[in-house]
Amino acid sequence: STNDGGDRTRVVNIVAGSPTYDAGLDIGDEVLALNGFRARSADLQSRVAEMNAGEKVTLTVYRDDRIREFEVTLRNQEVSPYKITKTKNPTDMQKAVYEGLFTTKWGE
């Protein structure tokens, strides 16, 4: 993910195994452009959302006093499987979260 600070857009988080991680981007990189066009955080998100998995984009970044280009192959975000189960002795908070998610009472 990126964050705009002043007039700069910097990489603030990279997930291991993500396309940006695989391409070699690093936390602290200043993002200058996406496919040759100046980009800010909101621009990056909306432009990438319009693209398809498998497409390649070029990110131009500034790192260590050098301008560098990274080719990133987009892919769908993988979601790890999960399962929600009831615990034997739930707290009031656990019950409230469960009831909010499933719009049903805990004991039903």
Side-chain angles (χ1 to χ4, degrees):
S1 63
T2 58
N3 185 19
D4 291 335
D7 61 345
R8 298 184 173 153
T9 301
R10 294 203 183 270
V11 175
V12 294
N13 184 36
I14 295 181
V15 176
S18 69
T20 51
Y21 178 89
D22 293 344
L25 272 82
D26 201 0
I27 292 173
D29 286 347
E30 179 184 349
V31 178
L32 303 175
L34 173 70
N35 290 338
F37 292 93
R38 182 76 171 128
R40 307 288 287 166
S41 285
D43 299 330
L44 289 170
Q45 293 173 12
S46 63
R47 288 188 200 168
V48 170
E50 295 172 354
M51 299 175 176
N52 298 310
E55 285 188 61
K56 294 180 187 296
V57 298
T58 301
L59 281 175
T60 305
V61 303
Y62 183 72
R63 180 197 296 167
D64 297 329
D65 294 326
R66 291 184 52 206
I67 294 175
R68 303 166 188 234
E69 289 190 342
F70 295 88
E71 184 176 82
V72 180
T73 303
L74 303 178
R75 62 178 182 257
N76 292 327
Q77 183 175 353
E78 299 168 8
V79 178
S80 300
Y82 61 91
K83 181 179 179 182
I84 298 175
T85 58
K86 291 182 178 180
T87 185
K88 290 181 182 180
N89 299 309
T91 65
D92 289 339
M93 177 63 80
Q94 288 170 322
K95 287 181 185 179
V97 169
Y98 179 89
E99 291 170 357
L101 284 172
F102 297 107
T103 60
T104 185
K105 292 291 183 187
W106 179 267
E108 295 178 0

